[in-house]
Amino acid sequence: MSSDKDGAVPGIGAVSSAYSTALAARRRSYGPNTSLSYEQPLMIVRGHGTYLYDDQGVQYLDCVNNVSHVGHGNAEVAASASAQLHTLNTNSRYLHPDLPRYTELLLTTLTATSNNSMSSGNSGNSAGGCSNISDGCDSGGNCIRAGYSGSGTRSSSSNATFPGIQPQSQPQSQRLQQQQKQPPSSSPTISQPSLEVLYLVCSGSEANDLALRIIAAARPGATHIAVMGGAYHGHTSALIQISPYKFWGQGGTGRQPHVHVVPCPDPYRGDNLDGRAAARAALAAAARAGGRLGGFLCESVLSCGGQVVLPTGYLKELYDELRGAGVLLVADEVQCGFGRCGEAFWGFQTQGVAPDIVTMGKPIGNGYPLAALATTRELAAAFSAPGMEYFNTYGGSTAAVAAGLAVLRVIQRDGLQHHAQRVGEYLLSGLRRLRATHEVLGDVRGLGLFLGIEVVRDKASKRHAPATARWLKERMKARRVLLSTDGPYDNVLKIKPPLVFGIREAEVLLGQLSEVLERELTTDVLQQLSQREDEVWGSVYGPRYLQYRENERMLYSGLPPARL
Amino acid sequence: MSSDKDGAVPGIGAVSSAYSTALAARRRSYGPNTSLSYEQPLMIVRGHGTYLYDDQGVQYLDCVNNVSHVGHGNAEVAASASAQLHTLNTNSRYLHPDLPRYTELLLTTLTATSNNSMSSGNSGNSAGGCSNISDGCDSGGNCIRAGYSGSGTRSSSSNATFPGIQPQSQPQSQRLQQQQKQPPSSSPTISQPSLEVLYLVCSGSEANDLALRIIAAARPGATHIAVMGGAYHGHTSALIQISPYKFWGQGGTGRQPHVHVVPCPDPYRGDNLDGRAAARAALAAAARAGGRLGGFLCESVLSCGGQVVLPTGYLKELYDELRGAGVLLVADEVQCGFGRCGEAFWGFQTQGVAPDIVTMGKPIGNGYPLAALATTRELAAAFSAPGMEYFNTYGGSTAAVAAGLAVLRVIQRDGLQHHAQRVGEYLLSGLRRLRATHEVLGDVRGLGLFLGIEVVRDKASKRHAPATARWLKERMKARRVLLSTDGPYDNVLKIKPPLVFGIREAEVLLGQLSEVLERELTTDVLQQLSQREDEVWGSVYGPRYLQYRENERMLYSGLPPARL
């Protein structure tokens, strides 16, 4: 497409000449299968807190960018990385004091579940650990306090405490404690893995790809992998193969014989809720295919899978069963980690499980490229034993570590985990109220500031409504509130804002969504959308739905699984 | 290993307590198969230009870190990335003017060979394009000028010109011109691919892994891949499989049936110099294995392969033959690109070839994590056609683009390509003089500031001498000059410093190396090293050498290739 000189772009309308120039140049020179969000893409040139600004100075409430975890342009993280970029930014083949300082600190956050240490110091200082960040930012980007103290629908929660970073004595989430019934010393059958070794890499994809390499080294011969339906684990060749979101999604080439897909729990529809049955089915499917499962990868809260919160106990049952069969268990925390879930620092901790490997990415550096993999001493030794060096040019480089350290510091000091829980609960209750009166809002769910709204044709049928979800996203964008859609049927509105998103922002989101639903989603519009749903369902989502159902049937029936 | 409290670390000796604390913490908490350079690792805390400083303030001349392309802590790049980190650092799903600005600029550097545009404007302004950077930095990190005007062993060269960044009319390397005998309009059989589409990713590994995905999409069914002996293309699961450096190296699990290894040219020993024969052998090997080659990946100057400069015309012959068979040609420029080769901006341009895909990494952001893949419109379309989105969280993010733009700006403004050629030629002549009088310096070679010294037992036998190479590296380090060793037999001293490395630094390197060779490499030491060579050769390098030789024999003999 050539540059449009009169300031109008076909299908987009009047824009600035800088916009049309940039759009034309991007279309000319950048990968055509990279995407721009929204029907009319936004040219965003500035960010502050949980707000983004386009080239005309228009402010948007960002409810989407979970990478900018502690806020767009967070001054502390930016200053920390910047200082290091000026001083030294080199690889991990030299010793640097900050690298082990960071790795030990990050590992500390993981020990909460695996050795229950987060439960120590239950001195009830829930108020003391309360957020000292603002409850958001005003329209000019200036921080304000809303003074809201939370709806209190959940019991007291805590932020992970990091030795060395203003340690605070705080209570543990009661729910988390309830789930952790066995202390590690009395573990019933298999000892709980202790995550003591870290690898720093460059992206969540690199972290998950490394997890596959570790599994291959530690479980030679067990070359099959199980994953959750709808999962996306990254963009490398090996990860596309184990991501149903991709291999069953648009342009996908189907399931490889060594990959087994556990049908994703769907608490809203009451499907696939038995973790133990899922594990047994996956083990059996691998055996029928002539292989053996080496690993199981699963996001602790499913993101691309549709913002699905796993049922209480689900992952514990699944882990127990798979661990008994020698399968290595990988918790993918790339999307949901670092306090976002509110009630725990890591998503897997909300399920009371102890993974063998945890992968981390996106929020870890607030946008500075950084990612990590934590594992046990035993698995790291198995990976290292053959003598092949693991080197990652940017992973563990000095400026990345500086960004990572600053992010942890800000999360802890500003109580962002607790803040996420408090604001998330407020938002969730508001969304539930909206759901009660609007037929298309089938389900609202989530943990902390990782929420989803499942959009359906109607509450009775619970049929997926991707066209309506997209329409809502676009209408919200017109009202300067940014959401995205996702899930295997693209019918889930995702809410995963920077964690500095506050009560005030939640009110804006709720207010605008309410207006769209009440004023814009008229009977006429609903009829038009209904027709569009039929079209997209018939051409794309219907066949995909049948693929998933076929997989599910095969997995549980014990028949040889069809290669879908 | 526990922290050592008295300031001495076993096998390392007296160090600061900060050092021993950091070392102990790193060994406790960081991946055990990540490596620290040198027998006694360095704790580097500051960098400036081409110098690194340890925690005691000791200065080291860095001849190794090619990632810090325009100099450690380069203020312009750091300031550019820092400003963007403060303003906005988000992903490429929003439009941003800098992304297409950068992609179009970067693509401009690639068109030089593929459509010969770099040859235009041959107005002979060779002096006008001369470096305006310093010839290095003094011991305090202050920039100085050495006033050296070059040894002139090569004809006039040029820096790539970037439209929009102070374009200058400059002559093209005569050698490059000689190699480019056919202008694209009269291309003999197959049209030259035009690299017009870019993907920004996060690391060189991600770029090469993406190349594999594009090959798979564009050449369905042609699932076999050919690579160069000794090659390393990255650390993802798929890339380890196509990296002989890894799968035949320590801890490697051997060659996969779909991977075919072209024996690396060894101009020093006169082996494997025929590109056409190599291509035919690879095609035949794939056919015998029941497959078809989809792609061939090759670094334009081999790095981990041992700093090998391909013979003139080699890659052209190989490309011609493989292209005729429909094989996609990937130039891996992760190590050698961005002006380092001196006589051209890209290594592949020194071979007069036109790849279908070019991958870039390391120097591209001066350490800020960034990498890229350039390809043709046709291949991008083939990759995109099925409709699968390619999304890379950090690739093309705003701060990465800012760093990338600043790096291009500095390279161009400071004439670093020309500088690399001038200093490289000076250094190469100095090394050649040393070689003439020292038996262990078997070969010195390279382009620009990408040089290698092949260390051998003696000039007659040319037997690899890894123990001696390592000893030289350690002795140079004791003299505060940092080198590394590499190559399939780890007997090549690598020189690939930040490009601001100047004549003054070249003199330091040459002077110190000369002293080590003349004063420290005594008859006694030589005898001890000789014994050590026997040991390491017998246990590690000998078997590997036989593997390579076996592969070579099989590939060229037409026998079914053994799976080594």
Side-chain angles (χ1 to χ4, degrees):
Chain A
M1 173 184 286
S2 64
S3 166
D4 197 290
K5 285 163 194 159
D6 65 15
V9 172
I12 284 187
V15 289
S16 70
S17 74
Y19 182 105
S20 57
T21 301
L23 184 62
R26 172 157 169 158
R27 288 186 173 159
R28 209 163 43 221
S29 65
Y30 203 53
N33 53 342
T34 65
S35 79
L36 286 164
S37 297
Y38 307 109
E39 286 168 11
Q40 173 168 340
L42 291 167
M43 184 148 91
I44 298 296
V45 297
R46 189 167 74 84
H48 185 90
T50 189
Y51 290 96
L52 290 171
Y53 301 85
D54 75 9
D55 61 324
Q56 305 299 305
V58 176
Q59 174 187 276
Y60 291 87
L61 174 60
D62 178 8
C63 308
V64 169
N65 287 284
N66 56 340
V67 174
S68 302
H69 197 61
V70 298
H72 289 288
N74 180 285
E76 184 161 343
V77 179
S80 184
S82 301
Q84 197 57 55
L85 285 171
H86 280 91
T87 306
L88 176 74
N89 186 26
T90 190
N91 65 59
S92 63
R93 278 183 177 142
Y94 304 113
L95 199 57
H96 192 281
D98 285 351
L99 185 139
R101 187 175 297 151
Y102 179 59
T103 55
E104 297 220 309
L105 198 57
L106 191 51
L107 287 168
T108 307
T109 65
L110 291 160
T111 55
T113 287
S114 52
N115 63 17
N116 231 8
S117 69
M118 273 180 72
S119 300
S120 65
N122 247 355
S123 56
N125 178 24
S126 69
C130 185
S131 149
N132 62 356
I133 63 154
S134 80
D135 284 302
C137 295
D138 68 14
S139 61
N142 302 307
C143 288
I144 53 158
R145 281 181 168 275
Y148 176 80
S149 62
S151 62
T153 56
R154 291 219 194 231
S155 55
S156 69
S157 69
S158 74
N159 296 297
T161 59
F162 313 134
I165 291 192
Q166 306 175 13
Q168 288 175 289
S169 174
Q170 288 178 335
Q172 177 64 337
S173 157
Q174 286 180 10
R175 181 179 148 182
L176 187 55
Q177 284 177 39
Q178 285 158 9
Q179 288 181 347
Q180 294 174 331
K181 280 162 193 150
Q182 299 97 4
S185 56
S186 64
S187 183
T189 48
I190 299 164
S191 67
Q192 300 277 289
S194 185
L195 302 165
E196 297 180 311
V197 180
L198 208 76
Y199 288 85
L200 295 178
V201 298
C202 196
S203 67
S205 289
E206 287 191 358
N208 282 328
D209 199 291
L210 176 57
L212 292 181
R213 290 187 59 195
I214 293 175
I215 292 167
R219 293 291 182 270
T223 55
H224 288 224
I225 297 289
V227 291
M228 191 60 80
Y232 174 63
H233 292 295
H235 56 65
T236 68
S237 306
L239 295 174
I240 293 292
Q241 284 192 352
I242 65 155
S243 294
Y245 184 72
K246 287 292 188 183
F247 66 67
W248 278 338
Q250 209 175 348
T253 52
R255 185 179 64 82
Q256 295 291 309
H258 73 288
V259 180
H260 304 283
V261 182
V262 172
C264 184
D266 186 345
Y268 172 47
R269 294 176 181 81
D271 292 340
N272 309 317
L273 305 180
D274 183 343
R276 208 166 287 275
R280 286 176 185 158
L283 288 166
R288 286 195 306 272
R292 203 150 48 85
L293 282 189
F296 170 66
L297 283 82
C298 184
E299 287 183 288
S300 306
V301 186
L302 309 179
S303 57
C304 293
Q307 304 294 93
V308 177
V309 181
L310 295 169
T312 304
Y314 175 89
L315 212 51
K316 181 83 170 65
E317 291 170 4
L318 201 149
Y319 267 36
D320 282 352
E321 197 73 19
L322 291 181
R323 180 162 282 147
V327 180
L328 294 173
L329 305 163
V330 182
D332 179 336
E333 295 274 344
V334 172
Q335 293 264 5
C336 64
F338 287 91
R340 177 166 296 277
C341 290
E343 66 187 51
F345 196 77
W346 299 106
F348 71 82
Q349 293 165 339
T350 69
Q351 286 277 318
V353 297
D356 300 294
I357 293 172
V358 175
T359 56
M360 316 165 191
K362 297 192 190 289
I364 189 172
N366 208 44
Y368 191 101
L370 173 62
L373 178 146
T375 189
T376 63
R377 208 165 287 290
E378 186 189 355
L379 288 179
F383 180 47
S384 304
M388 188 186 288
E389 181 192 5
Y390 180 78
F391 178 64
N392 189 306
T393 299
Y394 302 133
S397 60
T398 340
V401 165
L405 274 168
V407 167
L408 284 182
R409 195 164 56 230
V410 174
I411 293 173
Q412 162 68 3
R413 191 202 53 214
D414 293 353
L416 287 179
Q417 180 189 326
H418 177 63
H419 176 82
Q421 181 171 35
R422 195 165 60 86
V423 178
E425 280 167 5
Y426 178 80
L427 187 51
L428 202 56
S429 349
L431 292 172
R432 283 185 178 134
R433 281 194 300 276
L434 279 179
R435 177 189 172 280
T437 52
H438 294 284
E439 194 64 15
V440 299
L441 303 192
D443 191 28
V444 295
R445 59 199 180 220
L447 289 177
L449 282 171
F450 200 61
L451 305 172
I453 306 171
E454 179 149 359
V455 182
V456 295
R457 306 279 291 263
D458 55 79
K459 286 199 170 75
S461 74
K462 298 181 178 178
R463 280 183 303 167
H464 310 86
T468 307
R470 284 184 204 175
W471 180 87
L472 286 169
K473 175 183 74 173
E474 291 290 343
R475 296 317 305 152
M476 288 295 280
K477 180 226 175 193
R479 290 164 174 273
R480 300 176 181 175
V481 177
L482 304 182
L483 297 168
S484 63
T485 56
D486 218 330
Y489 310 106
D490 204 29
N491 70 318
V492 179
L493 287 166
K494 286 172 95 169
I495 301 171
K496 48 185 180 71
L499 283 202
V500 293
F501 189 94
I503 297 298
R504 179 192 170 117
E505 283 72 32
E507 283 169 349
V508 170
L509 167 54
L510 291 168
Q512 294 295 336
L513 185 57
S514 172
E515 295 230 334
V516 168
L517 290 163
E518 290 182 14
R519 298 192 185 181
E520 300 191 43
L521 190 62
T522 60
T523 314
D524 277 1
V525 170
L526 266 171
Q527 276 179 345
Q528 287 167 28
L529 285 171
S530 174
Q531 198 179 328
R532 214 182 295 166
E533 299 294 1
D534 288 335
E535 289 162 17
V536 297
W537 190 258
S539 65
V540 180
Y541 298 102
R544 203 183 300 170
Y545 180 77
L546 293 177
Q547 273 187 327
Y548 275 89
R549 282 297 180 188
E550 181 70 3
N551 172 72
E552 197 174 320
R553 198 177 65 77
M554 292 301 184
L555 200 78
Y556 286 123
S557 71
L559 292 173
R563 189 170 160 188
L564 294 171
Chain B
M1 174 185 283
S2 64
S3 165
D4 197 291
K5 284 161 194 158
D6 63 15
V9 172
I12 284 186
V15 289
S16 71
S17 74
Y19 181 105
S20 58
T21 300
L23 184 62
R26 171 156 169 158
R27 287 186 173 160
R28 211 161 43 221
S29 66
Y30 204 52
N33 54 342
T34 65
S35 79
L36 286 164
S37 297
Y38 307 109
E39 287 168 11
Q40 173 168 339
L42 292 167
M43 185 148 91
I44 298 295
V45 298
R46 189 167 74 84
H48 186 89
T50 189
Y51 291 96
L52 290 171
Y53 301 85
D54 75 8
D55 61 324
Q56 305 299 304
V58 176
Q59 174 188 273
Y60 291 86
L61 173 60
D62 178 7
C63 309
V64 169
N65 288 285
N66 56 339
V67 174
S68 302
H69 196 61
V70 298
H72 288 289
N74 180 285
E76 185 162 343
V77 178
S80 183
S82 301
Q84 196 58 54
L85 285 171
H86 280 91
T87 307
L88 176 74
N89 186 26
T90 191
N91 66 59
S92 62
R93 279 185 177 140
Y94 304 112
L95 200 56
H96 192 281
D98 285 351
L99 186 140
R101 187 175 296 152
Y102 179 58
T103 55
E104 297 219 307
L105 198 57
L106 191 51
L107 287 168
T108 307
T109 65
L110 291 161
T111 55
T113 286
S114 52
N115 62 17
N116 230 9
S117 69
M118 272 180 73
S119 301
S120 65
N122 248 354
S123 56
N125 178 25
S126 69
C130 185
S131 148
N132 63 356
I133 64 155
S134 80
D135 283 301
C137 296
D138 68 14
S139 61
N142 302 307
C143 287
I144 53 156
R145 281 183 168 275
Y148 176 79
S149 63
S151 63
T153 55
R154 292 223 192 230
S155 56
S156 67
S157 69
S158 74
N159 296 299
T161 59
F162 313 134
I165 290 192
Q166 307 176 11
Q168 289 175 292
S169 174
Q170 288 179 335
Q172 177 64 336
S173 157
Q174 286 179 10
R175 181 180 148 182
L176 187 55
Q177 285 176 41
Q178 283 158 10
Q179 288 181 349
Q180 293 174 329
K181 280 163 193 152
Q182 299 97 5
S185 56
S186 63
S187 182
T189 47
I190 298 164
S191 68
Q192 300 277 290
S194 185
L195 301 166
E196 298 179 310
V197 180
L198 207 76
Y199 287 86
L200 295 178
V201 297
C202 196
S203 67
S205 289
E206 287 191 357
N208 282 328
D209 199 290
L210 176 57
L212 293 181
R213 289 187 59 195
I214 293 175
I215 292 167
R219 293 291 182 271
T223 56
H224 288 224
I225 297 289
V227 291
M228 192 61 81
Y232 174 63
H233 293 294
H235 55 64
T236 69
S237 306
L239 294 174
I240 294 291
Q241 284 192 352
I242 65 155
S243 295
Y245 183 73
K246 287 292 189 182
F247 67 66
W248 278 337
Q250 209 175 348
T253 51
R255 185 178 64 82
Q256 295 291 307
H258 72 288
V259 180
H260 305 283
V261 182
V262 172
C264 184
D266 185 345
Y268 171 47
R269 294 176 182 82
D271 292 341
N272 310 316
L273 305 180
D274 184 343
R276 209 166 286 276
R280 286 176 186 157
L283 288 166
R288 285 196 305 275
R292 202 150 49 84
L293 282 190
F296 170 67
L297 283 81
C298 184
E299 287 183 288
S300 306
V301 186
L302 309 179
S303 56
C304 293
Q307 304 293 95
V308 177
V309 181
L310 295 169
T312 304
Y314 175 89
L315 213 51
K316 182 82 169 66
E317 290 170 4
L318 201 148
Y319 267 37
D320 282 351
E321 196 73 18
L322 291 181
R323 180 162 281 147
V327 180
L328 294 173
L329 305 163
V330 182
D332 180 337
E333 296 273 343
V334 171
Q335 292 264 5
C336 64
F338 287 90
R340 177 165 295 278
C341 290
E343 67 186 50
F345 196 77
W346 299 106
F348 72 82
Q349 292 164 339
T350 70
Q351 286 276 319
V353 296
D356 299 292
I357 293 172
V358 175
T359 56
M360 318 164 190
K362 297 192 191 290
I364 189 171
N366 208 44
Y368 191 100
L370 174 61
L373 177 146
T375 189
T376 63
R377 208 166 287 288
E378 186 189 355
L379 288 179
F383 180 47
S384 304
M388 188 187 287
E389 181 192 3
Y390 180 79
F391 178 64
N392 189 306
T393 299
Y394 301 134
S397 60
T398 340
V401 164
L405 274 168
V407 168
L408 284 182
R409 195 163 58 229
V410 173
I411 293 173
Q412 162 69 2
R413 193 202 52 214
D414 292 353
L416 287 180
Q417 181 189 326
H418 177 63
H419 176 82
Q421 182 171 34
R422 196 164 60 85
V423 178
E425 280 167 5
Y426 178 81
L427 187 52
L428 202 55
S429 347
L431 291 173
R432 284 187 178 132
R433 282 194 300 275
L434 280 180
R435 178 189 172 279
T437 51
H438 294 284
E439 195 63 16
V440 299
L441 302 191
D443 190 28
V444 295
R445 60 198 178 222
L447 288 177
L449 281 171
F450 200 61
L451 306 172
I453 306 171
E454 179 149 0
V455 182
V456 294
R457 305 278 292 261
D458 55 80
K459 287 199 169 75
S461 73
K462 299 181 177 179
R463 280 184 303 167
H464 310 86
T468 307
R470 283 184 204 176
W471 180 87
L472 287 169
K473 175 182 75 173
E474 290 291 343
R475 295 318 305 151
M476 288 296 279
K477 180 223 173 194
R479 291 163 173 273
R480 301 176 182 176
V481 177
L482 304 182
L483 298 168
S484 63
T485 55
D486 218 329
Y489 310 106
D490 204 30
N491 70 318
V492 178
L493 287 166
K494 286 173 94 168
I495 301 171
K496 49 185 179 71
L499 283 203
V500 293
F501 189 95
I503 298 298
R504 178 190 171 120
E505 284 73 30
E507 283 169 350
V508 170
L509 169 54
L510 290 168
Q512 293 295 337
L513 185 57
S514 172
E515 297 230 332
V516 168
L517 290 163
E518 290 181 13
R519 299 192 186 180
E520 299 191 44
L521 191 61
T522 60
T523 314
D524 277 1
V525 170
L526 266 171
Q527 276 180 346
Q528 286 165 29
L529 285 172
S530 173
Q531 198 178 332
R532 213 181 296 165
E533 299 294 0
D534 288 335
E535 289 162 15
V536 296
W537 191 258
S539 66
V540 180
Y541 297 102
R544 201 182 301 171
Y545 180 77
L546 292 178
Q547 273 186 326
Y548 275 90
R549 282 296 181 190
E550 181 70 3
N551 173 72
E552 197 174 322
R553 197 178 66 77
M554 292 300 184
L555 201 78
Y556 287 123
S557 70
L559 293 174
R563 190 170 158 189
L564 296 171

